[in-house]
Amino acid sequence: MAITQAMCTSFKVELLSGGHNFNTTNVARSADTADTFKIALYTSSASLDSTTTAYSVTNEVSGTGYSAGGNTLTISQVPTSSSTTAFLDFSDTTWSSATITANGALIYNSTNSDTAVAVLAFGGDKTSTNGDFSIIFPAADASNAIIRIA
Amino acid sequence: MILDGIDFKVNTTSGRGFTPEELADRALDKIMYVSKDANPLIREQAEAFRGHIRQVLVKYLKQAVTSDRTTLANKLRDAGHSDLVKILEI
């Protein structure tokens, strides 16, 4: 089992099919409402990579302060662009007073049948014990943002 | 080409929450970034500014913690748990 950092291939295809909406304006769909994106944590027993297509409870983290499905992400930077790169960003997310160990995470679209967006590999087990477990997303710019299209 | 930002971080604590200093450093990364390739003079000024901003952030984050503890202490007293207020170390 292994968790390999990746932007899920299915996500790329679904983007081109209008399957994900990160914005609240200029939306091609009927309602100007962004989809709900979530982040779930996984143990080192999980197999996550670019071929992951959807959220699954298999080998998801369990423990105090963590609920199945993970945290809902806040879109802190709606899709925008700088030069020729489009990007968006999420706010950092924290599981408070948590006793959990995770090896990676999956960002997924809970509005669109829990379809996968991206896999985050932590590079090893990360543990919080009666403490805070935070994922800190990179700066919201064309060089660093978590999701970019160049 | 879709790119993924790999520079995310995972920060954890055990037996406590994050300190004002830790949160200030996290906030600073959102506020400003000093390129390693920047002109040394500009970089020096930027780093000095970053240090100043950090001091301001730490100061007000600590103030926020203290203020919230005051609020919590009053809620505990109102609920008849004055003994628990001591735990907040006010």
Side-chain angles (χ1 to χ4, degrees):
Chain A
M1 301 296 182
I3 296 175
T4 305
Q5 181 96 8
M7 196 64 69
C8 300
T9 303
S10 58
F11 170 65
K12 299 173 186 176
V13 174
E14 289 157 2
L15 269 185
L16 297 178
S17 307
H20 300 273
N21 174 27
F22 292 92
N23 212 339
T24 55
T25 58
N26 300 317
V27 179
R29 297 182 194 166
S30 57
D32 282 348
T33 306
D35 293 344
T36 298
F37 293 87
K38 300 186 73 171
I39 184 166
L41 299 177
Y42 287 87
T43 70
S44 58
S45 298
S47 292
L48 300 172
D49 55 28
S50 62
T51 65
T52 300
T53 58
Y55 160 76
S56 167
V57 297
T58 303
N59 294 312
E60 186 177 7
V61 160
S62 65
T64 302
Y66 184 87
S67 298
N71 281 357
T72 298
L73 290 170
T74 299
I75 298 172
S76 58
Q77 173 62 68
V78 296
T80 186
S81 63
S82 176
S83 185
T84 58
T85 300
F87 61 93
L88 61 90
D89 194 33
F90 298 113
S91 297
D92 300 345
T93 189
T94 297
W95 287 267
S96 300
S97 301
T99 299
I100 50 179
T101 296
N103 195 275
L106 177 71
I107 298 173
Y108 65 98
N109 185 338
S110 67
T111 301
N112 184 18
S113 305
D114 291 343
T115 44
V117 172
V119 176
L120 306 183
F122 297 165
D125 281 349
K126 302 291 183 181
T127 299
S128 66
T129 305
N130 294 323
D132 292 339
F133 191 110
S134 289
I135 295 178
I136 301 143
F137 290 106
D141 59 43
S143 301
N144 299 287
I146 193 72
I147 295 178
R148 290 167 284 143
I149 298 179
Chain B
M1 176 171 55
I2 297 180
L3 309 169
D4 54 338
I6 59 172
D7 289 334
F8 69 91
K9 297 176 185 173
V10 179
N11 287 356
T12 63
T13 63
S14 289
R16 63 175 179 83
F18 290 110
T19 65
E21 288 81 3
E22 290 168 338
L23 291 173
D25 287 336
R26 194 192 299 181
L28 267 176
D29 289 339
K30 303 282 186 186
I31 294 170
M32 65 180 294
Y33 169 75
V34 185
S35 171
K36 294 175 182 175
D37 301 326
N39 178 294
L41 287 176
I42 295 175
R43 179 176 174 78
E44 187 177 342
Q45 288 181 335
E47 292 288 2
F49 180 68
R50 184 181 168 92
H52 175 68
I53 294 296
R54 185 181 189 278
Q55 288 180 354
V56 173
L57 286 173
V58 169
K59 176 183 177 182
Y60 282 93
L61 284 169
K62 285 182 176 178
Q63 183 63 53
V65 170
T66 302
S67 292
D68 190 55
R69 287 185 180 178
T70 299
T71 301
L72 285 175
N74 279 286
K75 286 185 176 180
L76 288 170
R77 282 195 196 93
D78 292 346
H81 300 297
S82 297
D83 52 321
L84 295 179
V85 174
K86 294 175 183 175
I87 296 175
L88 297 177
E89 297 177 342
I90 293 178

